[in-house]
Amino acid sequence: MKLKTKSDLFYLVIFLLLIGTVSCKNDTKKEEKEETKIDSVNTEEPFYKLSLAQWSLHKAIRDEKTLSNLDFAKKAKELGFEGIEYVSQLYDLEEGNEQASLDSLVVQLKKRSKKQGIQNVLIMVDGEGDLAVNEKVARDEAIRRHSMWIDAAAKLGCSSVRVNLSGGEAEKDVAQWHANAVDGLGRLAAYGATKNINVIVENHGGLSSEANKVVAVLKEINLPNCGTLPDFGNFCIIGSSSNQLKIPCDKVYDRYKGMAELLPFAKGVSAKSYTFDENGNEETIDYYKMMKIVKDSGYKGFIGVEYEGSDLTEEEGILATKALLIKATENL
């Protein structure tokens, strides 16, 4: 093209600049679309957070004595967890001075968890009496002792305390156990409500592993803070409740049916594990099926890793369980 005047040159330059601007805008829009498309892939936040159940480290704390129970928060943080679940039986309170001893313990645990920037999720309470025994005096004492841990949970900033629904001899009569459980658990949950603490039942052997019977108790109590802590592994009704002992369970409740029944009342979930195959899958529990049941229930909250095996070290088992949970939910 031959330019005759300076005016022609001027208009040509303007024309080329306009074309360049439009081209840049189109390229920018294209890049923005591509970025939007990339961002839309795998950006959904997980429906749960990971916490560590202290029982996963009970050998190191209680038997091997290679980990102080006061350093639980630090260890959990090192292993990549957001929350922690304490176990009451891993702390010795001074006999005859339990309340003052527990108050002192809470101060230390709160200080250490705050330093690590980790959330206190719940306390698993064991050995403080049975809530469904026949004798009312014994139930009253169990409620009193459990109440101390409810107070501790509130001070720590936990959301829940986990209790067992044992009834001893009462479990031979389902109707009697049910009535006792409604009374003991119901009164404890009513106290928990005054402290803004959930009181949650774990399937933990005996009648408490028959999910439908626990649900019947919860429905009769009918308190919003009275719920469950469904555990992947504790559905043995008669026999060993621990697969690591290699003892077959004499009577077992279907774990997947049980989880589906307990999850509508769940304030937490416990991911139990025992042994893993060469692909990193739990050999006794289908984690893919289990995690689909959990998600389909609408549960959103902490899932606690609770390794209870012996084939791996405790830390190896914890990390294997954590990795499996993540893998099992990648495509949900």
Side-chain angles (χ1 to χ4, degrees), residues 111-157:
K111 179 181 178 180
R112 290 169 185 250
S113 58
K114 184 177 181 180
K115 181 179 179 180
Q116 298 300 324
I118 201 163
Q119 186 171 338
N120 294 318
V121 178
L122 60 86
I123 303 176
M124 298 185 182
V125 183
D126 301 296
E128 298 292 5
D130 296 337
L131 292 167
V133 292
N134 283 330
E135 300 77 15
K136 185 177 181 300
V137 172
R139 291 201 304 275
D140 292 345
E141 177 63 8
I143 291 170
R144 184 191 71 79
R145 295 187 66 86
H146 279 80
S147 295
M148 293 193 304
W149 289 99
I150 287 177
D151 294 342
K155 292 172 185 175
L156 281 170

Side-chain angles (χ1 to χ4, degrees), residues 72-137:
F72 174 43
K74 181 181 179 182
K75 176 58 69 176
K77 190 70 173 181
E78 289 172 356
L79 294 172
F81 289 89
E82 294 182 65
I84 47 179
E85 304 176 3
Y86 299 98
V87 175
S88 69
Q89 63 175 293
L90 295 179
Y91 297 92
D92 295 322
L93 302 182
E94 183 182 342
E95 189 174 353
N97 196 28
E98 288 89 350
Q99 187 62 67
S101 180
L102 183 54
D103 290 343
S104 176
L105 174 64
V106 165
V107 171
Q108 295 183 65
L109 295 179
K110 187 171 184 178
K111 179 181 178 180
R112 290 169 185 250
S113 58
K114 184 177 181 180
K115 181 179 179 180
Q116 298 300 324
I118 201 163
Q119 186 171 338
N120 294 318
V121 178
L122 60 86
I123 303 176
M124 298 185 182
V125 183
D126 301 296
E128 298 292 5
D130 296 337
L131 292 167
V133 292
N134 283 330
E135 300 77 15
K136 185 177 181 300
V137 172

Side-chain angles (χ1 to χ4, degrees), residues 202-223:
E202 180 180 355
N203 46 303
H204 215 179
L207 293 181
S208 74
S209 287
E210 295 193 51
N212 59 348
K213 291 181 171 56
V214 172
V215 167
V217 169
L218 297 178
K219 285 184 175 179
E220 185 166 342
I221 292 173
N222 193 30
L223 290 175

Side-chain angles (χ1 to χ4, degrees), residues 205-263:
L207 293 181
S208 74
S209 287
E210 295 193 51
N212 59 348
K213 291 181 171 56
V214 172
V215 167
V217 169
L218 297 178
K219 285 184 175 179
E220 185 166 342
I221 292 173
N222 193 30
L223 290 175
N225 72 315
C226 192
T228 61
L229 178 68
D231 183 291
F232 288 5
N234 292 347
F235 285 99
C236 182
I237 302 166
I238 301 174
S240 172
S241 63
S242 176
N243 289 35
Q244 68 171 325
L245 298 179
K246 313 297 182 185
I247 302 173
C249 187
D250 296 323
K251 183 180 179 182
V252 65
Y253 199 86
D254 184 283
R255 72 176 76 250
Y256 307 104
K257 176 177 180 286
M259 286 295 295
E261 291 173 333
L262 294 173
L263 276 163

